[in-house]
């Protein structure tokens, strides 16, 4: 008897009008998932995994999420223990607020703290950087210590200690100071960098995330 090959996990990349949708779709598919890009909230709720992408301004991404009324779906998935992965600004909006150019915008509040400007002479932070994951990280399991990931951002959360105190596993990186490059807390995972642009290291990280579905 031929052993049955398990079906690949079903992942939705949420289309709320912002993000590298197709590149995220291709990267998650290469990592081993069946991927759909959609703004259908029922599909987002039912999928094995939900990816929340995001590029540009925090306020614009939050406006897109609110217009789609996707916030409750994201929050309900997390409350039910169903995996969510935020990427770039899709990570930032998971926090309580974002401050850009002196304007504070409320986030989804699924992670404590806020997102502020990088304390660096050269902004945006654009290019490849190593990261420092904590012991027990599932996202970075098996990745070499010198693995590099691709960043494009001017803002980031910085309170790694506050995240750790709230039961999260923050991964940090350096650019003019230490900032939070990734977060894991229960079913919620997030990366400030772009796994879909991070070559083999990004593919391995996405495979690690798919293994949690």
């Amino acid at each position: 008897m031929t052993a049955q090959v398990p079906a690949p996990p079903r992942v939705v990349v949420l289309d709320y009008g912002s993000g590298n949708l197709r590149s995220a779709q291709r990267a998650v598919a290469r990592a081993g998932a069946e991927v759909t890009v959609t703004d259908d909230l029922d599909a987002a709720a039912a999928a094995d995994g939900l990816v929340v992408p995001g590029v540009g301004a925090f306020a614009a991404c939050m406006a897109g999420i609110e217009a789609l009324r996707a916030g409750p779906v994201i929050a309900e998935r997390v409350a039910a223990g169903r995996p969510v992965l935020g990427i770039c600004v899709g990570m930032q909006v998971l926090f309580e607020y974002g401050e850009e150019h002196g304007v504070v915008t409320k986030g989804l509040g699924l992670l404590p703290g806020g997102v502020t400007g990088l304390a660096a002479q050269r902004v945006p932070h654009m290019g490849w950087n190593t990261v420092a994951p904590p012991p027990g990280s599932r996202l970075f399991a098996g990745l070499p210590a010198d693995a590099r990931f691709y960043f494009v951002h001017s803002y980031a959360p910085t309170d790694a200690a506050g995240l750790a105190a709230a039961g999260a596993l923050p991964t940090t990186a350096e650019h003019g100071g230490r900032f939070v490059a990734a977060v894991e807390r229960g079913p919620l995972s997030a990366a400030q960098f772009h796994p879909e642009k991070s070559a083999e290291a990004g593919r391995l990280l996405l495979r690690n995330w798919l293994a949690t579905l």
Side-chain angles (χ1 to χ4, degrees), residues 114-128:
V115 175
T116 55
L118 291 172
Q121 291 184 344
R122 182 172 55 84
V123 174
H125 172 213
M126 182 181 299
W128 297 85

Side-chain angles (χ1 to χ4, degrees), residues 89-170:
V89 186
M91 166 176 153
Q92 295 179 6
V93 297
L94 300 172
F95 285 81
E96 293 172 323
Y97 68 90
E99 182 177 351
E100 296 177 327
H101 308 294
V103 177
V104 176
T105 302
K106 184 179 179 181
L108 295 175
L110 300 176
L111 292 170
V115 175
T116 55
L118 291 172
Q121 291 184 344
R122 182 172 55 84
V123 174
H125 172 213
M126 182 181 299
W128 297 85
N129 225 54
T130 56
V131 300
S137 168
R138 293 183 297 176
L139 280 183
F140 296 91
L143 273 78
D146 60 353
R148 292 180 176 270
F149 298 88
Y150 190 77
F151 290 83
V152 183
H153 65 123
S154 299
Y155 300 86
T158 58
D159 187 7
L163 285 165
L169 291 176

Side-chain angles (χ1 to χ4, degrees), residues 4-93:
Q4 286 190 333
V5 177
R10 296 173 301 111
V11 173
V12 161
V13 176
L14 185 64
D15 181 3
Y16 63 91
S18 176
N20 296 321
L21 300 174
R22 298 303 169 186
S23 59
Q25 178 187 30
R26 289 192 296 270
V28 178
R30 282 195 300 269
E34 177 185 309
V35 189
T36 303
V37 175
T38 184
D39 62 359
D40 184 327
L41 295 181
D42 289 336
D48 297 321
L50 177 64
V51 175
V52 181
V55 296
F58 186 107
C61 286
M62 276 305 303
I65 289 171
E66 290 170 354
L68 187 58
R69 299 179 181 175
V73 171
I74 299 169
E76 286 162 13
R77 282 190 64 96
V78 173
R82 309 203 63 204
V84 172
L85 173 65
I87 295 176
C88 197
V89 186
M91 166 176 153
Q92 295 179 6
V93 297

